[in-house]
Amino acid sequence: MDFRKHILIVEDEPHIANLYREFIEEFDYQTSICLDGEQALSLFTTNPTNFDLVLTDQTMPNISGNELSSQLLKVAPSVPIIMCTGHSTENDKKTAIDIGIKHYLVKPVNLPDLVTVIDNLLKD
């Protein structure tokens, strides 16, 4: 049986999603990628216990990272969410934290820092 932690990566730019996946999997995490928020919401709500953490982009077509996060937290209030954004203001960060997002990162994301954040959020 596979006991690795499972991370849902939600990123509308495939090359960035794959970059995250390749780096994160080097640290023995399992990953799934969704290229839009609607797909992620559908996958997550089908079986929320499959995922230990969500890594999402903020700016995506159809559903923003904030809206996606709000919906995911209604289904699984304890799931840690990391928001990545290409633009940052204190107001954006405050909104993310108010939603319940656990960590906020500005792109380009430093990959070793990302894994440190993931490790810290998934400590047992």
Side-chain angles (χ1 to χ4, degrees):
M1 182 169 242
D2 188 357
F3 291 105
R4 294 185 302 159
K5 300 288 186 175
H6 192 173
I7 298 170
L8 176 59
I9 300 168
V10 188
E11 169 60 63
D12 62 320
E13 296 185 47
H15 66 282
I16 294 175
N18 285 318
L19 179 69
Y20 291 159
R21 178 187 52 79
E22 289 169 10
F23 194 81
I24 290 168
E25 286 183 355
E26 287 181 26
F27 294 86
D28 206 31
Y29 290 109
Q30 180 182 350
T31 63
S32 294
I33 292 176
C34 290
L35 297 177
D36 66 63
E38 290 175 340
Q39 178 189 22
L41 186 58
S42 176
L43 180 63
F44 188 90
T45 56
T46 300
N47 198 344
T49 59
N50 274 356
F51 302 100
D52 299 293
L53 183 140
V54 177
L55 171 65
T56 184
D57 188 19
Q58 164 56 338
T59 306
M60 298 180 290
N62 302 319
I63 298 177
S64 72
N66 282 345
E67 179 61 26
L68 172 64
S69 298
S70 293
Q71 295 297 319
L72 297 180
L73 290 167
K74 286 179 186 173
V75 174
S78 63
V79 69
I81 299 174
I82 301 170
M83 173 76 68
C84 299
T85 183
H87 61 282
S88 176
T89 67
E90 276 308 307
N91 191 40
D92 292 337
K93 186 173 183 176
K94 181 183 179 328
T95 299
I97 301 301
D98 288 347
I99 289 169
I101 293 166
K102 297 294 184 200
H103 205 87
Y104 188 85
L105 296 171
V106 178
K107 291 179 177 180
V109 172
N110 178 296
L111 295 175
D113 288 349
L114 173 60
V115 170
T116 298
V117 170
I118 292 169
D119 288 345
N120 288 334
L121 289 172
L122 293 178
K123 282 183 182 172
D124 293 331

Short mmCIF file of all heavy atoms in Angstrom, two decimals, residues 81-124:
data_model
loop_
_atom_site.label_atom_id
_atom_site.label_comp_id
_atom_site.label_asym_id
_atom_site.label_seq_id
_atom_site.Cartn_x
_atom_site.Cartn_y
_atom_site.Cartn_z
N ILE A 81 -3.86 24.43 1.92
CA ILE A 81 -3.78 24.96 0.56
C ILE A 81 -2.65 25.97 0.49
O ILE A 81 -2.53 26.84 1.35
CB ILE A 81 -5.11 25.62 0.13
CG1 ILE A 81 -6.25 24.60 0.16
CG2 ILE A 81 -4.97 26.25 -1.26
CD1 ILE A 81 -7.62 25.18 -0.11
N ILE A 82 -1.83 25.83 -0.56
CA ILE A 82 -0.77 26.78 -0.86
C ILE A 82 -1.19 27.52 -2.13
O ILE A 82 -1.49 26.89 -3.15
CB ILE A 82 0.58 26.09 -1.10
CG1 ILE A 82 1.01 25.29 0.14
CG2 ILE A 82 1.65 27.12 -1.49
CD1 ILE A 82 2.22 24.39 -0.10
N MET A 83 -1.21 28.85 -2.05
CA MET A 83 -1.57 29.69 -3.20
C MET A 83 -0.29 30.25 -3.82
O MET A 83 0.55 30.79 -3.13
CB MET A 83 -2.45 30.85 -2.73
CG MET A 83 -2.76 31.88 -3.79
SD MET A 83 -3.99 31.34 -4.96
CE MET A 83 -5.43 31.29 -3.89
N CYS A 84 -0.19 30.12 -5.15
CA CYS A 84 0.92 30.72 -5.89
C CYS A 84 0.35 31.79 -6.81
O CYS A 84 -0.66 31.55 -7.48
CB CYS A 84 1.64 29.67 -6.73
SG CYS A 84 2.36 28.33 -5.77
N THR A 85 1.00 32.93 -6.86
CA THR A 85 0.50 34.01 -7.68
C THR A 85 1.63 34.76 -8.36
O THR A 85 2.72 34.86 -7.81
CB THR A 85 -0.37 34.99 -6.86
OG1 THR A 85 -0.91 35.99 -7.72
CG2 THR A 85 0.40 35.64 -5.75
N GLY A 86 1.33 35.27 -9.54
CA GLY A 86 2.31 36.05 -10.29
C GLY A 86 2.33 37.50 -9.88
O GLY A 86 3.20 38.25 -10.27
N HIS A 87 1.36 37.91 -9.11
CA HIS A 87 1.32 39.28 -8.61
C HIS A 87 0.94 39.23 -7.13
O HIS A 87 0.20 38.35 -6.70
CB HIS A 87 0.31 40.12 -9.38
CG HIS A 87 -1.09 39.62 -9.27
ND1 HIS A 87 -1.55 38.54 -10.00
CD2 HIS A 87 -2.13 40.03 -8.51
CE1 HIS A 87 -2.81 38.32 -9.69
NE2 HIS A 87 -3.19 39.20 -8.79
N SER A 88 1.45 40.14 -6.37
CA SER A 88 1.20 40.09 -4.94
C SER A 88 0.99 41.48 -4.38
O SER A 88 1.73 42.40 -4.68
CB SER A 88 2.38 39.43 -4.22
OG SER A 88 2.18 39.47 -2.83
N THR A 89 -0.03 41.59 -3.58
CA THR A 89 -0.21 42.77 -2.75
C THR A 89 -0.57 42.26 -1.37
O THR A 89 -1.00 41.11 -1.22
CB THR A 89 -1.35 43.68 -3.28
OG1 THR A 89 -2.59 42.99 -3.12
CG2 THR A 89 -1.14 44.07 -4.73
N GLU A 90 -0.40 43.08 -0.38
CA GLU A 90 -0.78 42.66 0.97
C GLU A 90 -2.27 42.33 1.04
O GLU A 90 -2.68 41.44 1.75
CB GLU A 90 -0.41 43.73 1.99
CG GLU A 90 1.04 43.66 2.45
CD GLU A 90 1.45 42.28 2.95
OE1 GLU A 90 0.78 41.71 3.84
OE2 GLU A 90 2.47 41.75 2.45
N ASN A 91 -3.08 43.06 0.24
CA ASN A 91 -4.51 42.81 0.22
C ASN A 91 -4.81 41.41 -0.32
O ASN A 91 -5.66 40.70 0.21
CB ASN A 91 -5.24 43.88 -0.59
CG ASN A 91 -6.73 43.81 -0.42
OD1 ASN A 91 -7.23 43.60 0.68
ND2 ASN A 91 -7.45 44.00 -1.51
N ASP A 92 -4.11 41.01 -1.40
CA ASP A 92 -4.30 39.68 -1.96
C ASP A 92 -3.93 38.61 -0.94
O ASP A 92 -4.62 37.62 -0.77
CB ASP A 92 -3.45 39.48 -3.21
CG ASP A 92 -3.90 40.32 -4.39
OD1 ASP A 92 -5.08 40.72 -4.43
OD2 ASP A 92 -3.06 40.59 -5.26
N LYS A 93 -2.81 38.83 -0.26
CA LYS A 93 -2.36 37.86 0.74
C LYS A 93 -3.36 37.79 1.89
O LYS A 93 -3.70 36.70 2.35
CB LYS A 93 -0.97 38.26 1.25
CG LYS A 93 -0.37 37.25 2.19
CD LYS A 93 1.06 37.62 2.54
CE LYS A 93 1.69 36.56 3.41
NZ LYS A 93 3.09 36.83 3.69
N LYS A 94 -3.86 38.93 2.33
CA LYS A 94 -4.84 38.95 3.42
C LYS A 94 -6.10 38.20 3.00
O LYS A 94 -6.64 37.41 3.78
CB LYS A 94 -5.17 40.38 3.82
CG LYS A 94 -6.16 40.45 4.97
CD LYS A 94 -6.54 41.88 5.30
CE LYS A 94 -7.53 42.00 6.43
NZ LYS A 94 -8.51 40.96 6.59
N THR A 95 -6.58 38.43 1.78
CA THR A 95 -7.76 37.73 1.29
C THR A 95 -7.53 36.22 1.30
O THR A 95 -8.39 35.46 1.75
CB THR A 95 -8.12 38.19 -0.14
OG1 THR A 95 -8.40 39.59 -0.10
CG2 THR A 95 -9.32 37.45 -0.69
N ALA A 96 -6.38 35.79 0.82
CA ALA A 96 -6.05 34.36 0.80
C ALA A 96 -6.05 33.77 2.21
O ALA A 96 -6.64 32.70 2.45
CB ALA A 96 -4.69 34.14 0.13
N ILE A 97 -5.43 34.46 3.14
CA ILE A 97 -5.37 33.97 4.52
C ILE A 97 -6.77 33.94 5.13
O ILE A 97 -7.15 32.98 5.82
CB ILE A 97 -4.41 34.84 5.36
CG1 ILE A 97 -2.99 34.82 4.77
CG2 ILE A 97 -4.42 34.42 6.82
CD1 ILE A 97 -2.34 33.47 4.65
N ASP A 98 -7.57 34.98 4.85
CA ASP A 98 -8.95 35.02 5.36
C ASP A 98 -9.79 33.86 4.84
O ASP A 98 -10.66 33.35 5.55
CB ASP A 98 -9.63 36.35 4.99
CG ASP A 98 -9.09 37.53 5.79
OD1 ASP A 98 -8.37 37.32 6.80
OD2 ASP A 98 -9.38 38.69 5.39
N ILE A 99 -9.54 33.42 3.62
CA ILE A 99 -10.25 32.27 3.04
C ILE A 99 -9.89 30.99 3.78
O ILE A 99 -10.71 30.10 3.92
CB ILE A 99 -9.92 32.15 1.54
CG1 ILE A 99 -10.59 33.28 0.76
CG2 ILE A 99 -10.33 30.79 0.98
CD1 ILE A 99 -10.11 33.40 -0.67
N GLY A 100 -8.67 30.92 4.28
CA GLY A 100 -8.21 29.71 4.96
C GLY A 100 -7.00 29.09 4.28
O GLY A 100 -6.57 27.99 4.64
N ILE A 101 -6.45 29.79 3.30
CA ILE A 101 -5.26 29.31 2.62
C ILE A 101 -4.09 29.36 3.61
O ILE A 101 -3.91 30.35 4.31
CB ILE A 101 -4.99 30.16 1.36
CG1 ILE A 101 -6.13 29.91 0.36
CG2 ILE A 101 -3.63 29.88 0.77
CD1 ILE A 101 -6.21 30.90 -0.76
N LYS A 102 -3.33 28.28 3.69
CA LYS A 102 -2.28 28.16 4.71
C LYS A 102 -0.99 28.88 4.37
O LYS A 102 -0.25 29.29 5.25
CB LYS A 102 -1.97 26.69 4.98
CG LYS A 102 -3.12 25.91 5.55
CD LYS A 102 -3.49 26.39 6.92
CE LYS A 102 -4.58 25.54 7.51
NZ LYS A 102 -5.30 26.18 8.58
N HIS A 103 -0.68 29.00 3.06
CA HIS A 103 0.57 29.65 2.69
C HIS A 103 0.41 30.33 1.33
O HIS A 103 -0.33 29.84 0.48
CB HIS A 103 1.72 28.64 2.64
CG HIS A 103 3.05 29.27 2.85
ND1 HIS A 103 3.58 29.48 4.09
CD2 HIS A 103 3.93 29.77 1.97
CE1 HIS A 103 4.76 30.08 3.96
NE2 HIS A 103 4.99 30.27 2.68
N TYR A 104 1.12 31.42 1.15
CA TYR A 104 0.99 32.26 -0.03
C TYR A 104 2.39 32.48 -0.60
O TYR A 104 3.27 32.97 0.11
CB TYR A 104 0.37 33.59 0.43
CG TYR A 104 -0.03 34.55 -0.63
CD1 TYR A 104 -1.26 34.45 -1.25
CD2 TYR A 104 0.81 35.61 -0.99
CE1 TYR A 104 -1.66 35.38 -2.20
CE2 TYR A 104 0.42 36.54 -1.93
CZ TYR A 104 -0.82 36.41 -2.54
OH TYR A 104 -1.21 37.32 -3.48
N LEU A 105 2.60 32.08 -1.85
CA LEU A 105 3.90 32.21 -2.50
C LEU A 105 3.79 33.05 -3.77
O LEU A 105 2.81 32.94 -4.50
CB LEU A 105 4.46 30.84 -2.88
CG LEU A 105 4.78 29.89 -1.73
CD1 LEU A 105 5.12 28.51 -2.28
CD2 LEU A 105 5.92 30.42 -0.89
N VAL A 106 4.80 33.88 -4.01
CA VAL A 106 4.83 34.72 -5.20
C VAL A 106 5.71 34.04 -6.26
O VAL A 106 6.79 33.55 -5.97
CB VAL A 106 5.38 36.13 -4.86
CG1 VAL A 106 5.46 36.98 -6.11
CG2 VAL A 106 4.49 36.79 -3.81
N LYS A 107 5.20 33.99 -7.50
CA LYS A 107 5.95 33.44 -8.62
C LYS A 107 7.01 34.44 -9.06
O LYS A 107 6.78 35.64 -8.97
CB LYS A 107 5.01 33.15 -9.80
CG LYS A 107 4.05 32.01 -9.56
CD LYS A 107 3.18 31.85 -10.79
CE LYS A 107 2.24 30.68 -10.66
NZ LYS A 107 1.40 30.54 -11.86
N PRO A 108 8.12 33.99 -9.57
CA PRO A 108 8.48 32.58 -9.74
C PRO A 108 8.77 31.94 -8.39
O PRO A 108 9.50 32.49 -7.56
CB PRO A 108 9.72 32.61 -10.62
CG PRO A 108 10.32 33.96 -10.40
CD PRO A 108 9.18 34.88 -10.07
N VAL A 109 8.16 30.79 -8.18
CA VAL A 109 8.28 30.08 -6.91
C VAL A 109 9.66 29.44 -6.81
O VAL A 109 10.12 28.78 -7.74
CB VAL A 109 7.18 29.01 -6.80
CG1 VAL A 109 7.38 28.13 -5.59
CG2 VAL A 109 5.80 29.67 -6.77
N ASN A 110 10.31 29.65 -5.67
CA ASN A 110 11.57 28.98 -5.38
C ASN A 110 11.22 27.54 -4.99
O ASN A 110 10.58 27.32 -3.97
CB ASN A 110 12.28 29.72 -4.23
CG ASN A 110 13.57 29.05 -3.83
OD1 ASN A 110 13.56 27.92 -3.36
ND2 ASN A 110 14.66 29.74 -4.01
N LEU A 111 11.60 26.58 -5.82
CA LEU A 111 11.16 25.19 -5.62
C LEU A 111 11.64 24.58 -4.30
O LEU A 111 10.85 23.91 -3.64
CB LEU A 111 11.56 24.34 -6.83
CG LEU A 111 10.85 24.73 -8.13
CD1 LEU A 111 11.37 23.91 -9.29
CD2 LEU A 111 9.34 24.61 -8.00
N PRO A 112 12.89 24.79 -3.88
CA PRO A 112 13.26 24.26 -2.56
C PRO A 112 12.41 24.87 -1.44
O PRO A 112 12.04 24.16 -0.49
CB PRO A 112 14.74 24.64 -2.42
CG PRO A 112 15.23 24.70 -3.84
CD PRO A 112 14.06 25.29 -4.61
N ASP A 113 12.08 26.16 -1.54
CA ASP A 113 11.20 26.78 -0.54
C ASP A 113 9.82 26.15 -0.57
O ASP A 113 9.20 25.93 0.48
CB ASP A 113 11.08 28.29 -0.77
CG ASP A 113 12.35 29.05 -0.42
OD1 ASP A 113 13.26 28.47 0.21
OD2 ASP A 113 12.44 30.24 -0.78
N LEU A 114 9.32 25.86 -1.76
CA LEU A 114 8.02 25.22 -1.90
C LEU A 114 7.99 23.89 -1.17
O LEU A 114 7.06 23.59 -0.42
CB LEU A 114 7.66 25.03 -3.38
CG LEU A 114 6.38 24.23 -3.66
CD1 LEU A 114 5.16 24.90 -3.05
CD2 LEU A 114 6.21 24.04 -5.16
N VAL A 115 9.00 23.07 -1.37
CA VAL A 115 9.04 21.76 -0.72
C VAL A 115 9.16 21.92 0.80
O VAL A 115 8.53 21.16 1.55
CB VAL A 115 10.17 20.88 -1.30
CG1 VAL A 115 10.37 19.63 -0.47
CG2 VAL A 115 9.83 20.51 -2.73
N THR A 116 9.88 22.92 1.26
CA THR A 116 9.97 23.18 2.70
C THR A 116 8.59 23.52 3.25
O THR A 116 8.18 23.01 4.31
CB THR A 116 10.96 24.33 3.00
OG1 THR A 116 12.26 23.92 2.55
CG2 THR A 116 11.01 24.65 4.47
N VAL A 117 7.84 24.37 2.55
CA VAL A 117 6.48 24.72 2.98
C VAL A 117 5.60 23.47 3.00
O VAL A 117 4.86 23.24 3.97
CB VAL A 117 5.88 25.82 2.06
CG1 VAL A 117 4.40 26.01 2.34
CG2 VAL A 117 6.64 27.13 2.23
N ILE A 118 5.67 22.66 1.94
CA ILE A 118 4.88 21.42 1.88
C ILE A 118 5.24 20.52 3.06
O ILE A 118 4.35 20.02 3.76
CB ILE A 118 5.10 20.69 0.54
CG1 ILE A 118 4.48 21.50 -0.61
CG2 ILE A 118 4.54 19.28 0.59
CD1 ILE A 118 4.86 21.01 -1.99
N ASP A 119 6.53 20.31 3.28
CA ASP A 119 6.96 19.47 4.40
C ASP A 119 6.40 19.97 5.72
O ASP A 119 5.90 19.20 6.53
CB ASP A 119 8.50 19.43 4.49
CG ASP A 119 9.16 18.60 3.40
OD1 ASP A 119 8.46 17.81 2.71
OD2 ASP A 119 10.38 18.76 3.21
N ASN A 120 6.48 21.29 5.94
CA ASN A 120 6.00 21.86 7.19
C ASN A 120 4.49 21.70 7.36
O ASN A 120 4.01 21.43 8.45
CB ASN A 120 6.40 23.33 7.31
CG ASN A 120 7.88 23.50 7.56
OD1 ASN A 120 8.54 22.63 8.10
ND2 ASN A 120 8.41 24.64 7.16
N LEU A 121 3.76 21.87 6.29
CA LEU A 121 2.30 21.75 6.36
C LEU A 121 1.84 20.31 6.53
O LEU A 121 0.76 20.07 7.08
CB LEU A 121 1.64 22.36 5.13
CG LEU A 121 1.70 23.88 5.02
CD1 LEU A 121 1.18 24.34 3.66
CD2 LEU A 121 0.91 24.54 6.14
N LEU A 122 2.66 19.36 6.09
CA LEU A 122 2.25 17.95 6.14
C LEU A 122 2.90 17.18 7.29
O LEU A 122 2.75 15.95 7.34
CB LEU A 122 2.55 17.26 4.80
CG LEU A 122 1.70 17.76 3.65
CD1 LEU A 122 2.09 17.05 2.36
CD2 LEU A 122 0.21 17.58 3.93
N LYS A 123 3.58 17.87 8.17
CA LYS A 123 4.14 17.18 9.32
C LYS A 123 3.03 16.49 10.10
O LYS A 123 1.97 17.04 10.32
CB LYS A 123 4.86 18.16 10.26
CG LYS A 123 6.20 18.57 9.77
CD LYS A 123 6.85 19.47 10.79
CE LYS A 123 8.22 19.93 10.27
NZ LYS A 123 8.80 20.94 11.12
N ASP A 124 3.28 15.27 10.48
CA ASP A 124 2.28 14.51 11.25
C ASP A 124 2.23 14.91 12.69
O ASP A 124 3.11 15.33 13.31
CB ASP A 124 2.56 13.02 11.13
CG ASP A 124 2.33 12.53 9.69
OD1 ASP A 124 1.49 13.11 8.99
OD2 ASP A 124 2.99 11.56 9.32
#
